[in-house]
Amino acid sequence: FSAEQRAEEGGDAERRLIGERIEAAATPQELFRLSELHSLNSNQASLLIAQLSRLAAEKHLETEGIVQDERFGQLFAIVDAQVSQVWNNTLVKLLRSLYALGLDGGRREVQSIEHEVLWRLRRLGFRQLAALAELLALRQGKDSKLLGEVIRKLELRWTELEGTRTVVLLMAKVGHVSPALMDRLEDKALELAEHFGPDDIRRIALALAYQNRRSVPLLRALSYHLLQKHSELGLAVLLDLIFAYGKLNFHQPQVFQKIAGELQPHVATMTPLEVTRCVRSFALLKWLNLPLFEAIAQYTLDNCKEVSVPQLCSIIVSFARLNFQPSANEDFFSMRLQGQLASVEAPLLVAVVWALCVLQQAGAPYLQHVLAPAFHARLPGDSSPKAQSLRLKLLQINAAARLESPGYAGPFLPAELLGAQGPGAEKATPLQSGLREALAGLLAGGDNGRFDVPTVYGWNIDAEMLLDRENRPLPLTGFVAPHLLRSEGTSPLPPGARRVAFLRWEFPSFSNRSKELLGRCAMARRHVQAAGFLLVDVS
């Protein structure tokens, strides 16, 4: 061999040796000694900095001491002087390492490396672009110029996207930055759905939930393969999946049944936070699995000292949304909540007392606490949705105190608060429009009926009419109406006359055939009947 060839082979051997020693180093001092023993080029210096970052992360070392070391500055100077000679993959690793080591993004050297990355974007592979996008989305946010250019390159080259790992990574970490890219990723995920494992499905579902993207075809495909191919799922996967389905309000009964059945054996070993997340997600979905909820109620009883007061309140509110009464309800509702009322924040306290009213478990101390003038005076009086929701719940609690608590003597809400119904009625649904059309011919006059009637009980009646003893419509305006804030008449009802209220049941999915399971609607139904109406269900 010629002398030139022998010199080239010797250089390759030395480069391999340095690379092996960089990878084998176990401490930052070993790496710094390597930098003193060898004359490093910019690519080797970049690899050494990347290894320093990895060791600092793995061994939880202070990065400040590493960055302030004089030898680190020398390495940084080598890279800065010859940054154009750093290999593409190493350049991406270097930028990640500098961010991880906490270097100021305003430093000239860091900006120089970012500029070099920007110039090389066309030469980077798709996976390198994906890794770079993940890094920049985490470190710099949506306003980063470099991230914007990387996203544009990904959008243009999306046909190169291969492999489930890259799809999942981009959806979870980068999809929120670019809706256009997320559309492409959803199409690719739908194509690869059968190849996803349980953890991939979990991460995709969470990405969709956090971005509020209700991609029905993709969710259906993921649900199908989840049922067909994956017999057992881990606890983290089960909890995240039911959270995502609840956040997106996506109903898939077979999946819910599978998740509930596999969650039940885990309940005894779950943390209070996990139990709370689980029960809230099922409540959002209006899906009741009796064995699972009984297990959660028993868990709450057995671990009452570990379950915090806010967590207990959240569990009770979730039970109320489904009108679930634990079999051991006396023990469950006699837990320590009553003695902790003063420590509960006002909005949460209103919610939990409302839930107890739904479940018909609100004793006088609960009602007296939230209906006291000193308490409701502290609630926000603005027109925000949150404030309106609180006022509406207070009206319904007040109605429960009047209509369902015969031994309760007060206090009650003052008259000026009884008209606080919140926002006006939304656009009529097809069911409401059909009800109005059906009743129009029957009422035979505009004064013989009311529609979308706000009551002092906090519930809106979809339609109201008054019938005499012969079931003929009577005008409503001349008679006293205690359910209204301001009655249009003063005359008592004729003998045998009856008020008729129409309430609609309009929900996309039910957890059981019985409509009584929907707590809020069950309480509205009870209050309307207790107020003397003949109730007609419309569905």
Side-chain angles (χ1 to χ4, degrees), residues 297-325:
Q298 190 59 47
Y299 172 93
T300 310
L301 283 171
D302 295 340
N303 299 273
C304 58
K305 293 183 179 179
E306 287 76 26
V307 177
S308 67
V309 172
Q311 288 168 343
L312 178 60
C313 292
S314 182
I315 291 171
I316 292 174
V317 171
S318 298
F319 283 1
R321 292 188 186 280
L322 295 173
N323 204 15
F324 170 70
Q325 296 274 4

Side-chain angles (χ1 to χ4, degrees), residues 468-523:
D468 63 12
R469 66 174 63 198
E470 302 296 331
N471 291 327
R472 291 173 299 193
L474 295 174
L476 293 165
T477 52
F479 300 102
V480 65
H483 60 288
L484 300 179
L485 182 62
R486 295 177 181 85
S487 178
E488 298 177 2
T490 57
S491 302
L493 295 183
R498 295 173 298 174
R499 291 189 182 275
V500 181
F502 295 82
L503 285 183
R504 76 186 190 279
W505 300 91
E506 198 167 12
F507 301 97
S509 179
F510 286 88
S511 56
N512 193 293
R513 293 179 181 178
S514 172
K515 298 171 183 176
E516 295 293 331
L517 288 174
L518 296 170
R520 179 182 179 277
C521 298
M523 183 161 71

Side-chain angles (χ1 to χ4, degrees), residues 178-206:
S178 169
L181 178 62
M182 191 64 178
D183 289 338
R184 303 292 192 186
L185 293 171
E186 288 178 5
D187 292 341
K188 196 66 178 180
L190 186 58
E191 179 185 328
L192 299 172
E194 62 179 316
H195 302 294
F196 290 131
D199 193 62
D200 295 330
I201 293 175
R202 176 187 72 87
R203 294 182 67 189
I204 291 174
L206 284 177

Side-chain angles (χ1 to χ4, degrees), residues 62-267:
E62 289 289 338
T63 59
E64 187 176 352
I66 295 174
V67 172
Q68 292 180 352
D69 193 292
E70 182 181 354
R71 293 164 291 184
F72 182 86
Q74 294 169 355
L75 291 169
F76 210 10
I78 294 171
V79 173
D80 184 48
Q82 301 175 341
V83 68
S84 61
Q85 298 179 21
V86 179
W87 298 354
N88 289 344
N89 199 43
T90 307
L91 188 64
V92 175
K93 288 182 180 179
L94 173 64
L95 188 60
R96 181 188 299 273
S97 302
L98 297 181
Y99 291 151
L101 289 170
L103 268 73
D104 183 8
R107 285 184 59 165
R108 184 194 62 79
E109 298 91 338
V110 177
Q111 291 181 345
S112 174
I113 292 168
E114 290 178 348
H115 189 69
E116 181 68 22
V117 171
L118 183 62
W119 275 100
R120 289 202 210 176
L121 288 181
R122 288 188 179 183
R123 287 182 279 164
L124 296 181
F126 193 90
R127 289 192 177 183
Q128 292 170 335
L129 287 173
L132 193 58
E134 178 196 4
L135 170 66
L136 296 171
L138 179 65
R139 295 289 178 176
Q140 296 188 1
K142 294 183 178 181
D143 298 330
S144 166
K145 177 184 176 182
L146 179 55
L147 176 59
E149 291 297 326
V150 173
I151 293 295
R152 274 190 281 276
K153 290 291 185 292
L154 288 171
E155 291 173 356
L156 290 172
R157 297 170 55 183
W158 73 274
T159 54
E160 301 176 33
L161 181 57
E162 293 180 354
T164 58
R165 183 178 179 277
T166 307
V167 173
V168 173
L169 175 111
L170 288 174
M171 291 185 77
K173 303 293 185 181
V174 187
H176 67 282
V177 179
S178 169
L181 178 62
M182 191 64 178
D183 289 338
R184 303 292 192 186
L185 293 171
E186 288 178 5
D187 292 341
K188 196 66 178 180
L190 186 58
E191 179 185 328
L192 299 172
E194 62 179 316
H195 302 294
F196 290 131
D199 193 62
D200 295 330
I201 293 175
R202 176 187 72 87
R203 294 182 67 189
I204 291 174
L206 284 177
L208 295 174
Y210 289 138
Q211 298 173 45
N212 286 320
R213 295 182 67 97
R214 197 172 183 270
S215 177
V216 174
L218 180 55
L219 288 169
R220 283 177 178 168
L222 296 177
S223 301
Y224 172 80
H225 293 294
L226 193 70
L227 290 169
Q228 295 297 318
K229 295 185 177 181
H230 307 294
S231 57
E232 292 187 9
L233 304 174
L235 177 60
V237 175
L238 293 168
L239 291 175
D240 285 343
L241 281 176
I242 199 62
F243 164 79
Y245 280 103
K247 183 82 163 50
L248 296 170
N249 193 28
F250 183 74
H251 288 263
Q252 202 71 19
Q254 289 179 307
V255 175
F256 299 164
Q257 195 65 40
K258 174 183 175 64
I259 292 175
E262 293 190 20
L263 272 174
Q264 187 183 345
H266 289 286
V267 170

